[in-house]
Amino acid sequence: MKNYRWTLDLQMFSQEKTERATPKKRQEARKKGQIAKSQELPAAFILLFVFLSFIMLGGYYKERLLHLFGLLLEQKLLMEVTTGNVVTLFSDLMMQGLMLLAPIFIIAILIALLGNYAQVGILFTGEPLKMKLDKINPIKGFKNIFSMHSVVEFIKNILKLILIGFIVYFTLWSERDRIMGLATVSIGNIFGFIASITIRLGLEIGAILVVLAVFDYFYKRYEHEKSLKMSKQDIKDEYKKSEGDPLIKGKIRERQRRMALQRMMQQVPKADVIITNPTHFAIALQYDGTKMEAPTIIAKGMDFVALRIKDIAKEHGVIMMENRPLARALYDRTEIGDTVPADLFQAVAEVLAYVYKLKNRVN
């Protein structure tokens, strides 16, 4: 019973997602569109830079506004109302409006592109657009409403409202004397004061939202990393899928080894001599003066393989010679298909000469 409980606890521990995601898991998640991205970061920077543009391009905006209202109130106020005139009026107003808003559009597009590129890089995927039934699952939707993510988003939105409310309140409260005195100043000064306080509020709110968006981005990264975490078993399964099951690979290697051994044994009958030590090593040599520059190793082995080589040699009448130092040297310094090392030529030549002498006696 204790062993069963210990095994169960070990299995549960191996299923706990405590390990960092592997590069393969991260790549698969990225292809599916599962990335750490804050939608609020580009929006906050857009707001901030748009209000900064009001300061840097204030003259341009003023000129466009005056031209827009001048066109409407000075040039077109008393025009004759006809189909052609109305179309011309709206065309002119649309053109002036586009020229007025062009810097804002350009800033919004550039900041949105840069903000998303800085977070994600270049990524094109249609995976998030695919229809998935679990997205309309009411049970899952109910769980999402009361999830930790929803709680964090709720707290974050409340915090933003509170901070923005305090900024607006303290800004207006600090200017209360000037606000109360607006009734005694000219229209131009009123518009100038409203514009200045609006820009001030926009910059302050934009800066606060940028700070909150940065924290939101790091929280999104934390959530993303947490969602990608893997258990030890997940890592093992991934390794098996990518590298292959070790058991299967072992069986393949064993089969390859047996096939190589079988091919080697088929070459033993072609040997001119088997050099042994006599029990642990066996090396099969072949030499054909018309085709080879030096004797060649066509088979070798130790212990069980050496015994098998000698058995096959006996069956086919291949001569065997005992030479312990030479057998050990050839086994250690050569591989199948190699020629005999130069410093062993003399010893091998003596063996082959003796073998050929024996064969001539038999013949």
Side-chain angles (χ1 to χ4, degrees):
M1 188 67 178
K2 289 183 179 179
N3 291 335
Y4 173 76
R5 288 181 179 177
W6 182 82
T7 303
L8 186 61
D9 292 340
L10 184 61
Q11 290 178 349
M12 293 178 62
F13 176 76
S14 65
Q15 294 297 327
E16 291 181 1
K17 297 185 181 296
T18 57
E19 307 300 315
R20 288 176 59 86
T22 60
K24 185 174 184 296
K25 177 70 176 293
R26 294 178 185 278
Q27 186 177 6
E28 291 177 351
R30 182 177 174 84
K31 288 181 180 179
K32 295 178 182 179
Q34 299 173 1
I35 49 179
K37 178 183 175 183
S38 173
Q39 299 288 354
E40 298 183 8
L41 196 60
F45 274 107
I46 288 172
L47 178 65
L48 180 62
F49 278 93
V50 165
F51 277 97
L52 284 174
S53 73
F54 292 154
I55 297 176
M56 295 182 290
L57 303 176
Y60 174 84
Y61 288 119
K62 179 180 178 182
E63 181 182 349
R64 291 293 103 198
L65 279 172
L66 291 176
H67 192 75
L68 177 63
F69 285 104
L71 175 68
L72 184 62
L73 299 177
E74 294 179 0
Q75 301 179 25
K76 304 293 185 179
L77 186 62
L78 299 177
M79 73 175 187
E80 183 180 355
V81 179
T82 63
T83 302
N85 289 341
V86 171
V87 171
T88 302
L89 173 62
F90 278 100
S91 298
D92 291 341
L93 290 175
M94 186 176 296
M95 182 60 64
Q96 293 300 321
L98 289 175
M99 293 179 65
L100 174 65
L101 298 175
I104 298 176
F105 290 153
I106 294 172
I107 290 172
I109 293 172
L110 288 177
I111 297 299
L113 292 175
L114 291 174
N116 284 281
Y117 177 78
Q119 296 182 81
V120 180
I122 299 176
L123 176 63
F124 298 99
T125 178
E127 192 70 24
L129 301 178
K130 291 183 179 180
M131 180 63 181
K132 295 181 180 179
L133 296 178
D134 58 346
K135 291 183 178 180
I136 57 176
N137 187 344
I139 298 177
K140 186 175 180 179
F142 185 78
K143 290 181 179 179
N144 290 335
I145 293 176
F146 295 97
S147 65
M148 180 58 67
H149 176 77
S150 299
V151 173
V152 172
E153 290 294 321
F154 175 76
I155 294 174
K156 182 180 64 180
N157 291 329
I158 293 297
L159 181 61
K160 285 196 295 186
L161 289 175
I162 293 174
L163 289 175
I164 292 173
F166 273 116
I167 290 172
V168 173
Y169 172 78
F170 285 114
T171 300
L172 295 179
W173 183 255
S174 64
E175 299 290 341
R176 62 186 182 280
D177 294 334
R178 293 184 63 185
I179 293 174
M180 298 300 295
L182 289 178
T184 61
V185 301
S186 64
I187 296 295
N189 289 335
I190 292 175
F191 278 113
F193 172 75
I194 293 174
S196 65
I197 201 169
T198 301
I199 293 174
R200 177 182 169 186
L201 283 172
L203 293 175
E204 292 175 350
I205 292 172
I208 289 295
L209 291 181
V210 165
V211 173
L212 293 177
V214 170
F215 281 106
D216 179 66
Y217 170 68
F218 283 108
Y219 176 73
K220 288 291 195 300
R221 286 190 60 178
Y222 165 77
E223 274 194 329
H224 181 64
E225 289 293 327
K226 186 177 179 181
S227 67
L228 291 181
K229 279 191 173 181
M230 305 171 67
S231 65
K232 295 183 184 295
Q233 187 62 43
D234 292 336
I235 295 176
K236 290 180 181 178
D237 293 341
E238 182 185 289
Y239 176 78
K240 287 182 180 179
K241 289 180 181 178
S242 59
E243 300 295 332
D245 194 327
L247 294 177
I248 297 176
K249 291 177 68 177
K251 290 180 180 179
I252 294 174
R253 285 195 296 268
E254 178 63 21
R255 185 175 181 182
Q256 291 173 342
R257 190 186 67 81
R258 289 180 180 178
M259 292 176 64
L261 183 61
Q262 184 178 1
R263 288 194 299 268
M264 184 183 72
M265 294 302 178
Q266 291 173 355
Q267 299 297 318
V268 173
K270 301 178 184 179
D272 292 312
V273 63
I274 307 296
I275 300 176
T276 66
N277 83 326
T279 55
H280 295 294
F281 299 100
I283 294 89
L285 294 177
Q286 183 185 33
Y287 179 64
D288 186 348
T290 61
K291 299 179 182 179
M292 303 177 183
E293 296 180 357
T296 303
I297 312 298
I298 61 173
K300 73 170 192 174
M302 66 180 297
D303 297 333
F304 173 78
V305 178
L307 292 174
R308 181 62 181 154
I309 291 174
K310 289 188 287 185
D311 289 341
I312 295 174
K314 289 179 182 178
E315 292 174 6
H316 293 82
V318 179
I319 298 174
M320 289 184 287
M321 288 192 61
E322 179 182 339
N323 189 325
R324 297 186 180 189
L326 182 58
R328 183 59 183 261
L330 289 173
Y331 185 87
D332 291 339
R333 296 172 57 185
T334 61
E335 297 295 335
I336 296 173
D338 291 350
T339 57
V340 173
D343 58 327
L344 298 179
F345 276 176
Q346 183 65 33
V348 172
E350 293 176 359
V351 171
L352 289 175
Y354 179 75
V355 169
Y356 293 149
K357 188 175 180 180
L358 288 177
K359 287 183 178 180
N360 290 332
R361 286 180 182 178
V362 173
N363 294 334

